[in-house]
Amino acid sequence: MFQVYDTQVAKRFTIYNSLFLDLPFDDIYVTGTLLPFLGKACEKGFAEGKSPREIIDRFFEEMMPEEKGKAQTDFLFQMIQYVERQVVLFDSIEDAAYEKINDISGKGSVKALISRVESDRKKEELIEKLKTFSIRLTLTAHPTQFYPGNVLGIITDLEKAIRTDDLESINLLLQQLGKTGFINREKPTPFDEAISLIWYLENVFYHSIPDIIIRLLNGLGQPLHTWENPAILKVGFWPGGDRDGNPFVTHETTIQVADRLKKWLMRCYYRDLRKLRKRLTFKHVEEHIVKAERGIYFTLFENKEVYASKEDLLAVLFDAREALVKYHDGLFLDLLDQFILKVRIFGFHFAYMDLRQDSRKHDGLWEEVFSLQGKEFIGSESELIEKVMKTKSLPSLDQYQEPFHKEMLQSIGTVNAVQKTNGEDGLHRYIISNCQSVLHILEVYQLAKLTLRKKVGELPLDIVPLFETIDDLKMAPEIMSKLYQMPEYKTHLTSRNSKQNIMLGFSDGTKDGGYLKANWSILVAKEELTRVSRENGIEVVFFDGRGGPVARGGGNLHNFYASLGEKVENSEIQVTIQGQTISSNYGKQASCIYNFEQLLSAGVESHLYPNFEKSLNEEQRALIDKLANIGYGKYKDLKSHPKFVPYLEHVAPLKFFGMTNIGSRPLKRGKDSGLRFEDLRAIPFVGSWAQMKQNIPGFYGVGTAISALEKEGGMDELKKLYQDSLFFRTLLSNSMQSLKKCFYPATAYLKDNPEYSEFWQLLFQEFECSVEKLKEIAEMEELMDDNLVSKTSIEIRERIVLPLITIQQYAIQTILENGGSTEILDKLILRTMFGIINATRNAA
């Protein structure tokens, strides 16, 4: 596969890049010619131990001695423009070669899965599993994708042209790319973010999901139109409902987004029905298809709700099916059945929206509720629970003094409105961020019950606690055990098919506890939550809040889910995907189908083959636990270092994440002017380390932990664990990705900085230690030698953006050494961020 990658991607990039470098920007025709020289100057300069300022200054002295001041900075901005577009070119070349560099029909595919279960005589067992199994990928509007919509359109066309080596079109598109702005002039609204993600639903998921399910059911000999679990694969949707992630989301936004989801789905249905009409032109059949088409037309173009639910539309389609079988021997029946399946999959909702809010906001709302009723919201947790659960009504909206509390209640009220138009699947979960107690769950339960005016056992809403910090993960099993014992909540769960959704925060868990501790704590929490749920007759469904990078819980998802043992409930896989992970892993039908199939196979195979390299024994668990605790101690020491927050604030480009105009959310939670680590969102926190090419959350503490066990004579045990445990191997392999994307020479000038020298040395020493120890455990000459395709992709991408890294650090170094910033230096930092983050698209 590596040879294919080298031919189809690496060599192609060299060829097309030479064409690209001939393109002029703003009448400076020498820019493309000089870019390779700048790249070489950066490589050579860092190899010689030069600082970014020395590298840039020497470049100007040697290559442009007559240019000074503004001319130099103008040139740097031109370099940034070129590199941004080089990244796009490389993305498009990789996308065009996707089917060639990935084994589409190999291990993890639907084809391979069916072949395996047939040879192992597990076909019937797989069919039974699929009747209850599902995967939900939840699209979030987290701002890690820097391309505006018009650029995404060019990328799509460029990829198509590269597939056919259409040089004329490639040349024209590269010229268009050169003249198209990459920067949003204004911050997008939450509705804008939703629209950009609905594009993927319409153009990718609407086609990919049915394609997979049809091939799966046909391969297993199951009828499409009567299959009892059409929602094997589904898409969740956070834009428009995630108020914790984005405080600018309102209840009006939720209604707007739900309406747009339904309308765009109706567009898809309308197009499909028009195609069906061309084939189903027969007596007794055509009239039903025309009726369905007209009904959708009136809904779409005249705002007349002809069908109250998907069942009304399906009734018409089944009438057509009956007539087709009865009168025409089922001619074109496969086409009709495929469309029926689509309607059963996507309903009238298209994607499953969620509401989300922070537990502290609910605390504040209940305080005002009691205040308006002349009472105090004080006491022990059990006393407060009793007060909340005894509350029979809420004050009217016009009584609230805090506008945000009124808005929160109106947001909960959208559940009724959305379910009426889009069906219950449209919006049926409320997620509680920073959940730390039974009270936090019951606060939302009671608010929903009173706001939606539902009786006990009739609430059409799943209340989903989100456990994020290391301490919260540890307490989660006890919290849920207490909740399950409460008669009223148990009645509620009975009405929800005895299922409890629980979300686990990989991103914030890693931010809080470091890489090893967070991942191990989440696995242990899942096992304990599975145990207490089973003991109480409840089926727990885990929803993993994972980001794109390893440091936010990303990395190789397929291996992660394949590695979970029988102690973890796996009736469903639910995971968030965001930013460049959406575009790189699910942005095209080929990649979407491949990655969905890999997840599907990982989930069902862990059930069908429970003893295959998955279950950790007690000795292995003790070893990982020890590693995690040592790594956690190292990471906590770093967090408590007096320079930790100042480094983020004054050295890392943290503050610039709020200026990028890529997302509508603020940089941190809370309104305090000062920077507090607890309030930082995981994305800018992790992103800042990635910009510095230090990637601390993805590895810090790993090297120290391994070294500690090595001193105790445990290296052979760790090597064996790496070979025997897929969970441990996946954990360390993902950390290798973070390390592979580090480049400490870019910030080595900080070792001479009087204020940050000691702190930088701490980071660098742990980096060196982690690289050395991981290579030793994996018995590799270099990191990622077992995955040459990903390794090469990372190396090429890092080489492309090296000039941006150098320019960014040139600006940061100048600010630190000159004792203050300037508008130009700030702009240089800001503009380099786009290309650096876009270049790291490959799951880390």
PDB file of all heavy atoms in Angstrom, residues 218-243:
ATOM      1  N   ASN A 218     -28.588  -7.003   1.750  1.00  0.00           N
ATOM      2  CA  ASN A 218     -28.604  -7.907   0.593  1.00  0.00           C
ATOM      3  C   ASN A 218     -27.625  -9.055   0.793  1.00  0.00           C
ATOM      4  O   ASN A 218     -27.919 -10.211   0.467  1.00  0.00           O
ATOM      5  CB  ASN A 218     -28.256  -7.140  -0.684  1.00  0.00           C
ATOM      6  CG  ASN A 218     -29.411  -6.273  -1.184  1.00  0.00           C
ATOM      7  OD1 ASN A 218     -30.555  -6.469  -0.780  1.00  0.00           O
ATOM      8  ND2 ASN A 218     -29.111  -5.318  -2.049  1.00  0.00           N
ATOM      9  N   GLY A 219     -26.453  -8.745   1.340  1.00  0.00           N
ATOM     10  CA  GLY A 219     -25.449  -9.780   1.577  1.00  0.00           C
ATOM     11  C   GLY A 219     -25.889 -10.805   2.606  1.00  0.00           C
ATOM     12  O   GLY A 219     -25.444 -11.962   2.574  1.00  0.00           O
ATOM     13  N   LEU A 220     -26.767 -10.387   3.513  1.00  0.00           N
ATOM     14  CA  LEU A 220     -27.265 -11.293   4.557  1.00  0.00           C
ATOM     15  C   LEU A 220     -28.626 -11.889   4.191  1.00  0.00           C
ATOM     16  O   LEU A 220     -29.222 -12.621   4.995  1.00  0.00           O
ATOM     17  CB  LEU A 220     -27.373 -10.543   5.886  1.00  0.00           C
ATOM     18  CG  LEU A 220     -26.039 -10.077   6.489  1.00  0.00           C
ATOM     19  CD1 LEU A 220     -26.286  -9.175   7.692  1.00  0.00           C
ATOM     20  CD2 LEU A 220     -25.168 -11.268   6.894  1.00  0.00           C
ATOM     21  N   GLY A 221     -29.129 -11.530   2.997  1.00  0.00           N
ATOM     22  CA  GLY A 221     -30.400 -12.089   2.547  1.00  0.00           C
ATOM     23  C   GLY A 221     -31.607 -11.552   3.293  1.00  0.00           C
ATOM     24  O   GLY A 221     -32.609 -12.263   3.447  1.00  0.00           O
ATOM     25  N   GLN A 222     -31.542 -10.307   3.738  1.00  0.00           N
ATOM     26  CA  GLN A 222     -32.647  -9.710   4.491  1.00  0.00           C
ATOM     27  C   GLN A 222     -33.400  -8.700   3.618  1.00  0.00           C
ATOM     28  O   GLN A 222     -32.784  -7.905   2.911  1.00  0.00           O
ATOM     29  CB  GLN A 222     -32.115  -8.996   5.738  1.00  0.00           C
ATOM     30  CG  GLN A 222     -31.370  -9.902   6.703  1.00  0.00           C
ATOM     31  CD  GLN A 222     -32.238 -11.027   7.229  1.00  0.00           C
ATOM     32  OE1 GLN A 222     -33.281 -10.787   7.840  1.00  0.00           O
ATOM     33  NE2 GLN A 222     -31.819 -12.267   6.992  1.00  0.00           N
ATOM     34  N   PRO A 223     -34.746  -8.717   3.663  1.00  0.00           N
ATOM     35  CA  PRO A 223     -35.533  -7.782   2.842  1.00  0.00           C
ATOM     36  C   PRO A 223     -35.374  -6.339   3.333  1.00  0.00           C
ATOM     37  O   PRO A 223     -35.364  -6.080   4.537  1.00  0.00           O
ATOM     38  CB  PRO A 223     -36.970  -8.264   3.027  1.00  0.00           C
ATOM     39  CG  PRO A 223     -36.960  -8.999   4.336  1.00  0.00           C
ATOM     40  CD  PRO A 223     -35.598  -9.618   4.458  1.00  0.00           C
ATOM     41  N   LEU A 224     -35.262  -5.405   2.395  1.00  0.00           N
ATOM     42  CA  LEU A 224     -35.045  -4.012   2.759  1.00  0.00           C
ATOM     43  C   LEU A 224     -36.283  -3.380   3.381  1.00  0.00           C
ATOM     44  O   LEU A 224     -36.191  -2.630   4.351  1.00  0.00           O
ATOM     45  CB  LEU A 224     -34.635  -3.189   1.525  1.00  0.00           C
ATOM     46  CG  LEU A 224     -33.400  -3.636   0.731  1.00  0.00           C
ATOM     47  CD1 LEU A 224     -33.117  -2.634  -0.383  1.00  0.00           C
ATOM     48  CD2 LEU A 224     -32.184  -3.758   1.639  1.00  0.00           C
ATOM     49  N   HIS A 225     -37.450  -3.662   2.819  1.00  0.00           N
ATOM     50  CA  HIS A 225     -38.657  -2.909   3.200  1.00  0.00           C
ATOM     51  C   HIS A 225     -39.227  -3.315   4.549  1.00  0.00           C
ATOM     52  O   HIS A 225     -40.013  -2.569   5.137  1.00  0.00           O
ATOM     53  CB  HIS A 225     -39.728  -3.039   2.114  1.00  0.00           C
ATOM     54  CG  HIS A 225     -40.308  -4.419   1.976  1.00  0.00           C
ATOM     55  ND1 HIS A 225     -39.564  -5.499   1.538  1.00  0.00           N
ATOM     56  CD2 HIS A 225     -41.556  -4.905   2.237  1.00  0.00           C
ATOM     57  CE1 HIS A 225     -40.326  -6.573   1.517  1.00  0.00           C
ATOM     58  NE2 HIS A 225     -41.534  -6.238   1.938  1.00  0.00           N
ATOM     59  N   THR A 226     -38.840  -4.479   5.063  1.00  0.00           N
ATOM     60  CA  THR A 226     -39.371  -4.909   6.366  1.00  0.00           C
ATOM     61  C   THR A 226     -38.288  -5.053   7.429  1.00  0.00           C
ATOM     62  O   THR A 226     -38.581  -5.482   8.546  1.00  0.00           O
ATOM     63  CB  THR A 226     -40.107  -6.267   6.231  1.00  0.00           C
ATOM     64  OG1 THR A 226     -39.199  -7.234   5.676  1.00  0.00           O
ATOM     65  CG2 THR A 226     -41.334  -6.132   5.353  1.00  0.00           C
ATOM     66  N   TRP A 227     -37.035  -4.706   7.118  1.00  0.00           N
ATOM     67  CA  TRP A 227     -35.955  -4.836   8.105  1.00  0.00           C
ATOM     68  C   TRP A 227     -36.294  -3.991   9.331  1.00  0.00           C
ATOM     69  O   TRP A 227     -36.604  -2.805   9.221  1.00  0.00           O
ATOM     70  CB  TRP A 227     -34.624  -4.411   7.491  1.00  0.00           C
ATOM     71  CG  TRP A 227     -33.498  -4.364   8.497  1.00  0.00           C
ATOM     72  CD1 TRP A 227     -32.912  -3.254   9.005  1.00  0.00           C
ATOM     73  CD2 TRP A 227     -32.876  -5.480   9.134  1.00  0.00           C
ATOM     74  NE1 TRP A 227     -31.939  -3.604   9.915  1.00  0.00           N
ATOM     75  CE2 TRP A 227     -31.895  -4.969  10.021  1.00  0.00           C
ATOM     76  CE3 TRP A 227     -33.049  -6.869   9.041  1.00  0.00           C
ATOM     77  CZ2 TRP A 227     -31.090  -5.792  10.799  1.00  0.00           C
ATOM     78  CZ3 TRP A 227     -32.251  -7.683   9.830  1.00  0.00           C
ATOM     79  CH2 TRP A 227     -31.281  -7.138  10.686  1.00  0.00           C
ATOM     80  N   GLU A 228     -36.256  -4.603  10.518  1.00  0.00           N
ATOM     81  CA  GLU A 228     -36.798  -3.947  11.706  1.00  0.00           C
ATOM     82  C   GLU A 228     -35.913  -2.864  12.304  1.00  0.00           C
ATOM     83  O   GLU A 228     -36.365  -2.101  13.163  1.00  0.00           O
ATOM     84  CB  GLU A 228     -37.114  -4.994  12.778  1.00  0.00           C
ATOM     85  CG  GLU A 228     -35.907  -5.768  13.285  1.00  0.00           C
ATOM     86  CD  GLU A 228     -36.315  -6.935  14.175  1.00  0.00           C
ATOM     87  OE1 GLU A 228     -36.710  -7.982  13.623  1.00  0.00           O
ATOM     88  OE2 GLU A 228     -36.237  -6.785  15.403  1.00  0.00           O
ATOM     89  N   ASN A 229     -34.658  -2.764  11.896  1.00  0.00           N
ATOM     90  CA  ASN A 229     -33.766  -1.740  12.447  1.00  0.00           C
ATOM     91  C   ASN A 229     -33.090  -0.960  11.311  1.00  0.00           C
ATOM     92  O   ASN A 229     -31.894  -1.116  11.074  1.00  0.00           O
ATOM     93  CB  ASN A 229     -32.704  -2.392  13.350  1.00  0.00           C
ATOM     94  CG  ASN A 229     -31.745  -1.369  13.950  1.00  0.00           C
ATOM     95  OD1 ASN A 229     -32.091  -0.201  14.135  1.00  0.00           O
ATOM     96  ND2 ASN A 229     -30.527  -1.793  14.253  1.00  0.00           N
ATOM     97  N   PRO A 230     -33.864  -0.116  10.614  1.00  0.00           N
ATOM     98  CA  PRO A 230     -33.252   0.629   9.497  1.00  0.00           C
ATOM     99  C   PRO A 230     -32.193   1.631   9.949  1.00  0.00           C
ATOM    100  O   PRO A 230     -31.325   2.006   9.173  1.00  0.00           O
ATOM    101  CB  PRO A 230     -34.449   1.345   8.856  1.00  0.00           C
ATOM    102  CG  PRO A 230     -35.469   1.440   9.943  1.00  0.00           C
ATOM    103  CD  PRO A 230     -35.285   0.202  10.770  1.00  0.00           C
ATOM    104  N   ALA A 231     -32.269   2.050  11.219  1.00  0.00           N
ATOM    105  CA  ALA A 231     -31.320   3.060  11.718  1.00  0.00           C
ATOM    106  C   ALA A 231     -30.049   2.417  12.261  1.00  0.00           C
ATOM    107  O   ALA A 231     -29.571   2.760  13.342  1.00  0.00           O
ATOM    108  CB  ALA A 231     -31.985   3.918  12.788  1.00  0.00           C
ATOM    109  N   ILE A 232     -29.480   1.477  11.502  1.00  0.00           N
ATOM    110  CA  ILE A 232     -28.203   0.887  11.903  1.00  0.00           C
ATOM    111  C   ILE A 232     -27.131   1.975  11.921  1.00  0.00           C
ATOM    112  O   ILE A 232     -26.288   2.029  12.805  1.00  0.00           O
ATOM    113  CB  ILE A 232     -27.789  -0.246  10.930  1.00  0.00           C
ATOM    114  CG1 ILE A 232     -28.813  -1.370  10.960  1.00  0.00           C
ATOM    115  CG2 ILE A 232     -26.406  -0.783  11.298  1.00  0.00           C
ATOM    116  CD1 ILE A 232     -28.568  -2.432   9.896  1.00  0.00           C
ATOM    117  N   LEU A 233     -27.188   2.839  10.920  1.00  0.00           N
ATOM    118  CA  LEU A 233     -26.244   3.956  10.817  1.00  0.00           C
ATOM    119  C   LEU A 233     -27.046   5.255  10.824  1.00  0.00           C
ATOM    120  O   LEU A 233     -28.016   5.388  10.088  1.00  0.00           O
ATOM    121  CB  LEU A 233     -25.430   3.869   9.518  1.00  0.00           C
ATOM    122  CG  LEU A 233     -24.731   2.540   9.229  1.00  0.00           C
ATOM    123  CD1 LEU A 233     -24.063   2.585   7.857  1.00  0.00           C
ATOM    124  CD2 LEU A 233     -23.704   2.219  10.306  1.00  0.00           C
ATOM    125  N   LYS A 234     -26.629   6.197  11.655  1.00  0.00           N
ATOM    126  CA  LYS A 234     -27.359   7.458  11.712  1.00  0.00           C
ATOM    127  C   LYS A 234     -26.423   8.599  12.062  1.00  0.00           C
ATOM    128  O   LYS A 234     -25.293   8.388  12.505  1.00  0.00           O
ATOM    129  CB  LYS A 234     -28.510   7.374  12.714  1.00  0.00           C
ATOM    130  CG  LYS A 234     -28.177   6.746  14.055  1.00  0.00           C
ATOM    131  CD  LYS A 234     -29.459   6.382  14.803  1.00  0.00           C
ATOM    132  CE  LYS A 234     -29.165   5.664  16.106  1.00  0.00           C
ATOM    133  NZ  LYS A 234     -30.375   5.194  16.791  1.00  0.00           N
ATOM    134  N   VAL A 235     -26.930   9.808  11.857  1.00  0.00           N
ATOM    135  CA  VAL A 235     -26.123  11.003  12.064  1.00  0.00           C
ATOM    136  C   VAL A 235     -26.768  11.880  13.128  1.00  0.00           C
ATOM    137  O   VAL A 235     -27.956  12.216  13.029  1.00  0.00           O
ATOM    138  CB  VAL A 235     -25.970  11.812  10.756  1.00  0.00           C
ATOM    139  CG1 VAL A 235     -25.061  13.015  10.986  1.00  0.00           C
ATOM    140  CG2 VAL A 235     -25.411  10.934   9.655  1.00  0.00           C
ATOM    141  N   GLY A 236     -25.994  12.223  14.148  1.00  0.00           N
ATOM    142  CA  GLY A 236     -26.435  13.194  15.142  1.00  0.00           C
ATOM    143  C   GLY A 236     -26.017  14.591  14.705  1.00  0.00           C
ATOM    144  O   GLY A 236     -25.186  14.763  13.805  1.00  0.00           O
ATOM    145  N   PHE A 237     -26.575  15.615  15.363  1.00  0.00           N
ATOM    146  CA  PHE A 237     -26.363  16.987  14.897  1.00  0.00           C
ATOM    147  C   PHE A 237     -26.404  17.946  16.079  1.00  0.00           C
ATOM    148  O   PHE A 237     -27.427  18.078  16.739  1.00  0.00           O
ATOM    149  CB  PHE A 237     -27.466  17.344  13.888  1.00  0.00           C
ATOM    150  CG  PHE A 237     -27.085  18.409  12.907  1.00  0.00           C
ATOM    151  CD1 PHE A 237     -26.255  18.112  11.841  1.00  0.00           C
ATOM    152  CD2 PHE A 237     -27.571  19.705  13.029  1.00  0.00           C
ATOM    153  CE1 PHE A 237     -25.913  19.078  10.908  1.00  0.00           C
ATOM    154  CE2 PHE A 237     -27.239  20.678  12.112  1.00  0.00           C
ATOM    155  CZ  PHE A 237     -26.409  20.370  11.042  1.00  0.00           C
ATOM    156  N   TRP A 238     -25.263  18.598  16.347  1.00  0.00           N
ATOM    157  CA  TRP A 238     -25.198  19.543  17.464  1.00  0.00           C
ATOM    158  C   TRP A 238     -25.424  21.005  17.103  1.00  0.00           C
ATOM    159  O   TRP A 238     -25.879  21.775  17.935  1.00  0.00           O
ATOM    160  CB  TRP A 238     -23.856  19.384  18.192  1.00  0.00           C
ATOM    161  CG  TRP A 238     -23.929  18.344  19.277  1.00  0.00           C
ATOM    162  CD1 TRP A 238     -24.901  17.405  19.444  1.00  0.00           C
ATOM    163  CD2 TRP A 238     -23.009  18.156  20.357  1.00  0.00           C
ATOM    164  NE1 TRP A 238     -24.634  16.624  20.544  1.00  0.00           N
ATOM    165  CE2 TRP A 238     -23.473  17.073  21.125  1.00  0.00           C
ATOM    166  CE3 TRP A 238     -21.835  18.785  20.727  1.00  0.00           C
ATOM    167  CZ2 TRP A 238     -22.812  16.616  22.257  1.00  0.00           C
ATOM    168  CZ3 TRP A 238     -21.169  18.318  21.859  1.00  0.00           C
ATOM    169  CH2 TRP A 238     -21.654  17.264  22.616  1.00  0.00           C
ATOM    170  N   PRO A 239     -25.099  21.463  15.896  1.00  0.00           N
ATOM    171  CA  PRO A 239     -25.359  22.873  15.588  1.00  0.00           C
ATOM    172  C   PRO A 239     -26.846  23.197  15.768  1.00  0.00           C
ATOM    173  O   PRO A 239     -27.708  22.457  15.309  1.00  0.00           O
ATOM    174  CB  PRO A 239     -24.954  22.993  14.108  1.00  0.00           C
ATOM    175  CG  PRO A 239     -24.006  21.883  13.878  1.00  0.00           C
ATOM    176  CD  PRO A 239     -24.467  20.762  14.750  1.00  0.00           C
ATOM    177  N   GLY A 240     -27.116  24.266  16.457  1.00  0.00           N
ATOM    178  CA  GLY A 240     -28.514  24.645  16.690  1.00  0.00           C
ATOM    179  C   GLY A 240     -29.058  24.194  18.025  1.00  0.00           C
ATOM    180  O   GLY A 240     -30.108  24.680  18.463  1.00  0.00           O
ATOM    181  N   GLY A 241     -28.372  23.265  18.704  1.00  0.00           N
ATOM    182  CA  GLY A 241     -28.871  22.799  19.998  1.00  0.00           C
ATOM    183  C   GLY A 241     -27.834  22.802  21.102  1.00  0.00           C
ATOM    184  O   GLY A 241     -28.171  22.675  22.281  1.00  0.00           O
ATOM    185  N   ASP A 242     -26.566  22.959  20.741  1.00  0.00           N
ATOM    186  CA  ASP A 242     -25.472  22.893  21.719  1.00  0.00           C
ATOM    187  C   ASP A 242     -25.239  24.265  22.354  1.00  0.00           C
ATOM    188  O   ASP A 242     -24.439  25.058  21.878  1.00  0.00           O
ATOM    189  CB  ASP A 242     -24.200  22.399  21.020  1.00  0.00           C
ATOM    190  CG  ASP A 242     -23.000  22.320  21.971  1.00  0.00           C
ATOM    191  OD1 ASP A 242     -23.211  22.433  23.196  1.00  0.00           O
ATOM    192  OD2 ASP A 242     -21.873  22.150  21.474  1.00  0.00           O
ATOM    193  N   ARG A 243     -25.947  24.531  23.449  1.00  0.00           N
ATOM    194  CA  ARG A 243     -25.829  25.836  24.091  1.00  0.00           C
ATOM    195  C   ARG A 243     -24.609  25.952  24.989  1.00  0.00           C
ATOM    196  O   ARG A 243     -24.124  27.046  25.241  1.00  0.00           O
ATOM    197  CB  ARG A 243     -27.084  26.124  24.924  1.00  0.00           C
ATOM    198  CG  ARG A 243     -28.219  26.563  24.052  1.00  0.00           C
ATOM    199  CD  ARG A 243     -29.583  26.316  24.664  1.00  0.00           C
ATOM    200  NE  ARG A 243     -30.595  26.610  23.675  1.00  0.00           N
ATOM    201  CZ  ARG A 243     -30.898  25.802  22.655  1.00  0.00           C
ATOM    202  NH1 ARG A 243     -30.271  24.666  22.518  1.00  0.00           N
ATOM    203  NH2 ARG A 243     -31.812  26.138  21.781  1.00  0.00           N
TER     204      ARG A 243
END
